């Protein structure tokens, strides 16, 4: 009985610590003990004791004015977590859900210099396996929906430098091999946060892609649906965007508030 009560007390302390951290995270600057107690519903003496322990562990920092702020240890722990995040592992459950919803292949690609590398894929039993979309497969940025997302994130000078380096080679009659056509396409992608491959990498294959962002808002991957042209569905816009956003949130991304 005593052991159960001790365990219950320990859990309660952890819950109170978390409530204090949540309030500190929500406030733009250092917070007084009075406000912390009011926001958490804790008695000031209880809040003070817990804050003292958290200050000793550098989870909280006590300011000269007797106010409190989040401590440096949280930053250290956050950086450790961030360094251990594996985008493939985070994304795969969401990719599988999307695959079950639409029944087509879902791909995750990252940028490496002037190419896209596909790091994860959910196979579609009803479509042919395309070499370019195998895990580990590579493709030029301008020929793929995922690659175009990364080019759209670049500035004009960087896009033109890419065009000079690569020469914008084509693989099909639909490939964008002219800089003006590519720039026009990238403008659309920036406006809609969505990219397409209309048989530009391979005849008979169409793709749609949405961006995946990290906790700093940086584009770190692209999520795409690939399917034979006759099965491509314009209604995929909503689920591909929603899934990419879910993965982004799992990586720590938070949509900025619009004013």
């Amino acid at each position: 009985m005593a052991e159960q009560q001790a365990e219950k007390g320990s859990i309660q302390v952890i819950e109170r610590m978390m409530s204090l951290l949540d309030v500190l995270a929500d406030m733009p600057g250092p917070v007084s003990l009075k406000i912390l107690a009011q926001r958490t519903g804790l008695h000031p003496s209880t809040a003070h004791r817990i804050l003292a322990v958290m200050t000793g562990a550098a989870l909280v920092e006590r300011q000269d004015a007797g106010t409190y702020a989040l401590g440096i240890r949280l930053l250290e722990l956050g950086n450790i977590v961030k360094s251990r995040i594996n985008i493939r592992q985070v994304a795969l459950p969401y990719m599988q859900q999307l695959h079950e919803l639409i029944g087509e292949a879902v791909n995750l690609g990252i940028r490496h210099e002037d190419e896209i590398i596909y790091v994860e894929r959910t196979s579609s039993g009803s479509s042919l396996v395309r070499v370019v979309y195998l895990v580990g497969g590579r493709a030029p940025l301008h020929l793929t929906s995922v690659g175009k997302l990364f080019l759209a994130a670049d500035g004009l000078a960087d896009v033109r430098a890419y065009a000079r380096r690569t020469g914008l080679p084509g693989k099909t009659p639909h490939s964008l091999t002219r800089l003006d056509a590519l720039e026009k396409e990238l403008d659309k992608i920036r406006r809609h946060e969505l990219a397409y491959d209309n048989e530009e990498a391979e005849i008979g294959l169409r793709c749609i892609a949405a961006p995946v962002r990290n906790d700093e808002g940086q584009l770190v991957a692209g999520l795409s649906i690939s399917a034979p042209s006759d099965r491509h569905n314009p209604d995929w816009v909503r689920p591909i965007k929603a899934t990419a956003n879910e993965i982004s949130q799992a990586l720590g991304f938070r949509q900025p508030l619009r004013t």
Side-chain angles (χ1 to χ4, degrees):
M1 187 70 176
E3 185 177 337
Q4 289 179 339
Q5 289 178 338
E7 183 179 351
K8 184 177 179 181
S10 298
I11 293 173
Q12 190 177 55
V13 170
I14 294 171
E15 290 173 343
R16 290 172 173 178
M17 289 176 62
M18 292 307 303
S19 66
L20 288 165
L21 288 174
D22 286 340
V23 173
L24 289 170
D26 287 340
M27 302 297 281
V31 187
S32 69
L33 175 62
K34 180 179 179 181
I35 292 176
L36 284 168
Q38 289 174 345
R39 293 290 183 92
T40 59
L42 296 174
H43 191 279
S45 62
T46 301
H48 185 267
R49 287 198 304 272
I50 296 174
L51 287 166
V53 175
M54 295 168 74
T55 300
L59 296 174
V60 169
E61 179 181 328
R62 191 173 190 276
Q63 309 284 315
D64 292 338
T67 56
Y68 296 86
L70 296 178
I72 193 68
R73 181 60 179 156
L74 293 173
L75 178 61
E76 295 170 351
L77 292 172
N79 285 333
I80 292 171
V81 172
K82 185 176 178 181
S83 70
R84 293 177 181 175
I85 287 176
N86 184 312
I87 293 178
R88 290 177 63 235
Q89 291 177 346
V90 171
L92 188 56
Y94 299 99
M95 294 173 65
Q96 290 170 334
Q97 290 175 12
L98 181 59
H99 173 68
E100 291 172 6
L101 176 67
I102 62 173
E104 300 290 352
V106 178
N107 316 286
L108 185 73
I110 62 173
R111 180 175 185 169
H112 178 68
E113 298 178 349
D114 290 340
E115 293 180 313
I116 283 298
I117 301 176
Y118 292 93
V119 295
E120 191 55 85
R121 183 179 193 266
T122 63
S123 298
S124 173
S126 58
S127 65
L128 296 176
V129 175
R130 312 281 178 160
V131 174
V132 72
Y133 295 117
L134 292 176
V135 172
R138 296 171 177 257
L141 296 177
H142 68 288
L143 295 182
T144 67
S145 56
V146 173
K148 289 177 191 174
L149 290 173
F150 282 93
L151 285 175
D154 283 346
L156 183 61
D158 289 332
V159 172
R160 291 180 175 176
Y162 168 82
R164 286 195 300 271
R165 284 195 306 272
T166 64
L168 298 181
K171 293 189 73 176
T172 79
H174 304 287
S175 300
L176 298 178
T177 58
R178 295 197 338 265
L179 180 58
D180 59 341
L182 178 61
E183 289 179 341
K184 185 177 180 180
E185 181 79 3
L186 297 180
D187 282 339
K188 290 181 184 177
I189 294 168
R190 294 183 187 107
R191 289 196 303 271
H192 300 291
E193 289 272 290
L194 205 66
Y196 292 89
D197 165 10
N198 294 312
E199 301 186 72
E200 296 159 52
E202 186 167 344
I203 290 294
L205 185 69
R206 296 181 65 184
C207 305
I208 180 173
V212 173
R213 303 186 184 280
N214 65 9
D215 61 315
E216 297 177 357
Q218 298 170 332
L219 178 65
V220 292
L223 185 74
S224 72
I225 301 170
S226 58
S229 298
D230 59 355
R231 294 208 302 267
H232 181 83
N233 190 335
D235 292 338
W236 290 340
V237 168
R238 188 184 296 272
I240 189 76
K241 278 192 167 185
T243 304
N245 188 52
E246 287 176 336
I247 297 171
S248 297
Q249 290 180 353
L251 292 173
F253 175 66
R254 294 296 177 265
Q255 193 74 35
L257 296 176
R258 295 185 178 182
T259 56

